[in-house]
């Protein structure tokens, strides 16, 4: 049996209804900042419980432009977690600010207990990452940001639909960035991103920043970027939107099944699950003894297991100029040696789920 990580061929097996919508777009010529984009922004922000949505080119742009709009730039420091995808840190660097790392907790996200000791007079913002779909402790992070007058940009690229105390991610910080990359939980046919915010002032700035700073066709308010979400991608996003809750619930159910089965194995550790949070399992990640051997065994037997990621950001060559060294973030470093990811998507059959469980068990039962 094969359990592939990618499900795109299944997801878009019958694309004809989308083609019909795209044909209308092609006849209308409404390619940039078109009507479908406004509709998508509205639906997306409503889903997050945020007032405004601003469609942009990528998730990375969503984070970078949010920092820009909040006035973050050279000379500033932005606190984030080294256990993340490169784009979190890349967005901070692109703004001109210096990334300052704070270790992850047991659940793979920014450890709120360790934030305050990393704050300096240059700290301007915190970028908590709801990594793997696990929400960060936003009530505590907002408490810290208020005490120290810091801005908060949520990296929600992996966490659409996630909640803390019933309140969705993307509605907590000054702004939040989401990715619509083909392998994210709500995806489009290429790159795409969206920012959510409750601030009209910030929304107005972001609308300028993504479109050359143009107030209208002839007047330039500020220098900005060309960084819009294509109407074409908004149409794909709108078509998938009615499925987003089904996709989320399906991932949560599969994860619960895996937790129950794999949690019984002494060689596997399931991270603590917070009862007051809704984890949306963009990644289903566990700790494993003999991780590298397990992943090789799973791959050999057709289960597309992965490691996200084997090198934390502070130890990447690109981060050398920041001056960190091995041992600085022991929790993140331990995670990078023990975590593995199983497919958890909505197109998995019951047989495929059982097969994943059976193969992990089989690995530890061998001599
Ligand atoms: C995917 C991702 C991004 C960047 O999104 P893109 O759309 O690929 O630019 C940023 N942060 C995290 C945590 C991500 O997973």
């Amino acid at each position: 049996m094969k359990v592939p990580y990618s499900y795109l061929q299944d997801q878009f097996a019958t694309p004809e209804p989308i083609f019909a919508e795209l044909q209308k777009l092609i006849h209308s010529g409404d390619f940039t900042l078109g009507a479908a984009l406004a509709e998508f922004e509205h639906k997306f922000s409503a889903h997050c419980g945020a007032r405004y949505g601003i469609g942009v080119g990528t998730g990375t742009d969503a984070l970078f432009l949010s920092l820009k709009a909040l006035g973050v730039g050279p000379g500033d420091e932005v606190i984030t977690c080294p256990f993340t995808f490169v784009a979190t840190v890349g967005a901070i660097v692109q703004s001109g600010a210096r990334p300052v790392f704070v270790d992850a907790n047991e659940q793979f996200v920014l450890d709120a207990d360790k934030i305050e000791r990393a704050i300096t007079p240059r700290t301007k913002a915190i970028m908590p990452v709801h990594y793997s779909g696990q929400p960060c402790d936003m009530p505590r992070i907002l408490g810290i940001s208020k005490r120290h007058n810091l801005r908060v940009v949520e990296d929600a690229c992996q966490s659409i639909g996630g909640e803390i105390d019933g309140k969705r991610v993307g509605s907590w910080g000054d702004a939040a960035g989401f990715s619509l990359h083909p392998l994210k939980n709500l995806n489009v046919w290429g790159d795409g991103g969206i920012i959510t915010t409750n601030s009209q002032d910030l929304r107005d700035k972001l609308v300028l920043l993504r479109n050359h700073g143009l107030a209208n066709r002839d007047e330039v308010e500020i220098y900005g970027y060309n960084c819009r979400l294509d109407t074409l991608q908004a149409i794909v996003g709108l078509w998938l939107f009615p499925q987003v809750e089904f996709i989320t619930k399906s991932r949560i159910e599969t994860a619960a099944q895996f937790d129950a089965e794999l949690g019984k194995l002494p060689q596997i550790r399931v991270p603590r699950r917070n009862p007051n949070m809704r984890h949306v399992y963009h990644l289903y990640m566990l700790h494993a003894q003999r991780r590298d051997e397990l992943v090789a065994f799973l791959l050999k037997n057709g289960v597309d297991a992965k490691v996200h990621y084997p090198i934390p950001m502070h130890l990447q060559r690109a981060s050398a100029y920041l001056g960190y060294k091995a041992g600085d973030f022991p929790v993140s470093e331990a995670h990078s040696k023990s975590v593995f990811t199983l497919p958890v998507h909505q197109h998995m059959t019951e047989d495929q789920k059982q097969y994943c469980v059976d193969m992990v068990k089989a690995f530890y039962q061998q001599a």
Side-chain angles (χ1 to χ4, degrees):
M1 187 179 299
K2 290 236 175 302
V3 190
Y5 206 86
S6 173
Y7 46 88
L8 296 175
Q9 279 173 342
D10 291 324
Q11 188 177 27
F12 297 115
T14 51
E16 289 71 18
I18 312 180
F19 290 166
E21 290 298 315
L22 293 181
Q23 202 153 25
K24 282 189 232 159
L25 172 73
I26 289 159
H27 291 313
S28 76
D30 200 11
F31 292 117
T32 53
L33 302 176
L37 175 61
E39 191 187 342
F40 180 71
E41 291 172 334
H42 179 72
K43 286 218 164 118
F44 195 100
S45 57
H47 185 265
C48 298
R51 221 166 279 150
Y52 307 103
I54 306 98
V56 294
T58 67
T60 310
D61 289 338
L63 300 172
F64 159 68
L65 293 174
S66 296
L67 291 172
K68 270 293 192 211
L70 287 164
V72 174
D76 296 329
E77 294 177 354
V78 178
I79 289 175
T80 195
C81 184
F83 197 68
T84 185
F85 178 57
V86 50
T88 311
V89 187
I92 296 170
V93 171
Q94 212 182 325
S95 78
R98 185 180 179 87
V100 170
F101 295 123
V102 166
D103 212 351
N105 64 16
E106 188 223 349
Q107 296 164 305
F108 314 122
V109 296
L110 198 57
D111 187 337
D113 284 336
K114 295 177 181 161
I115 293 175
E116 278 188 299
R117 64 184 94 138
I119 294 174
T120 75
R122 291 175 300 281
T123 309
K124 187 80 181 259
I126 307 176
M127 187 175 281
V129 185
H130 306 302
Y131 191 59
S132 77
Q134 163 72 58
C136 297
D137 187 346
M138 292 310 294
R140 283 201 58 203
I141 291 171
L142 291 192
I144 294 166
S145 72
K146 286 212 176 71
R147 272 201 297 287
H148 297 270
N149 189 28
L150 306 175
R151 308 282 76 77
V152 174
V153 177
E154 298 169 69
D155 181 342
C157 285
Q158 299 192 355
S159 59
I160 179 172
E163 295 174 3
I164 306 111
D165 299 327
K167 183 170 152 61
R168 291 258 159 101
V169 304
S171 67
W172 291 84
D174 293 287
F178 291 84
S179 170
L180 307 169
H181 180 276
L183 284 179
K184 299 290 160 85
N185 293 12
L186 174 65
N187 51 347
V188 297
W189 287 351
D191 279 310
I194 184 164
I195 302 163
T196 56
T197 180
N198 285 317
S199 155
Q200 177 160 12
D201 182 49
L202 207 57
R203 184 236 173 221
D204 292 346
K205 265 190 205 134
L206 286 162
V207 165
L208 286 175
L209 279 176
R210 76 164 169 192
N211 191 34
H212 305 292
L214 283 166
N216 54 54
R217 182 181 172 280
D218 300 323
E219 290 171 86
V220 181
E221 203 67 41
I222 52 174
Y223 282 106
Y225 305 87
N226 179 353
C227 196
R228 304 171 294 239
L229 179 63
D230 289 325
T231 310
L232 189 148
Q233 300 295 8
I235 286 171
V236 178
L238 276 174
W239 188 81
L240 278 177
F241 213 88
Q243 298 171 36
V244 71
E245 270 306 292
F246 161 77
I247 292 169
T248 306
K249 285 181 181 148
S250 160
R251 286 174 173 267
I252 291 171
E253 270 171 39
T254 305
Q257 253 171 287
F258 282 165
D259 275 7
E261 290 291 328
L262 297 173
K264 291 181 203 153
L265 301 178
Q267 299 91 343
I268 295 286
R269 187 160 54 83
V270 178
R272 191 169 58 82
R273 309 297 188 195
N274 307 58
N276 69 325
M277 292 190 187
R278 188 188 197 211
H279 185 328
V280 296
Y281 299 99
H282 172 64
L283 303 173
Y284 180 77
M285 264 195 318
L286 299 175
H287 298 278
Q289 290 176 17
R290 295 162 58 207
R291 190 269 315 269
D292 292 339
E293 287 169 73
L294 169 66
V295 169
F297 178 86
L298 291 173
L299 289 174
K300 197 178 76 189
N301 286 285
V303 175
D304 218 352
K306 292 189 190 295
V307 175
H308 296 87
Y309 289 94
I311 309 175
M313 286 310 301
H314 67 290
L315 299 179
Q316 293 286 353
R317 276 194 298 282
S319 296
Y321 78 103
L322 297 171
Y324 293 109
K325 59 184 187 314
D328 284 346
F329 303 106
V331 178
S332 298
E333 290 168 34
H335 287 343
S336 66
K337 293 188 179 84
S338 70
V339 296
F340 76 107
T341 307
L342 287 174
V344 70
H345 57 80
Q346 67 273 20
H347 294 278
M348 286 170 78
T349 64
E350 288 306 315
D351 286 348
Q352 284 177 314
K353 294 176 204 175
Q354 191 58 49
Y355 184 71
C356 290
V357 170
D358 291 345
M359 282 302 110
V360 175
K361 285 184 179 163
F363 171 72
Y364 289 113
Q365 278 159 6
Q366 335 167 89

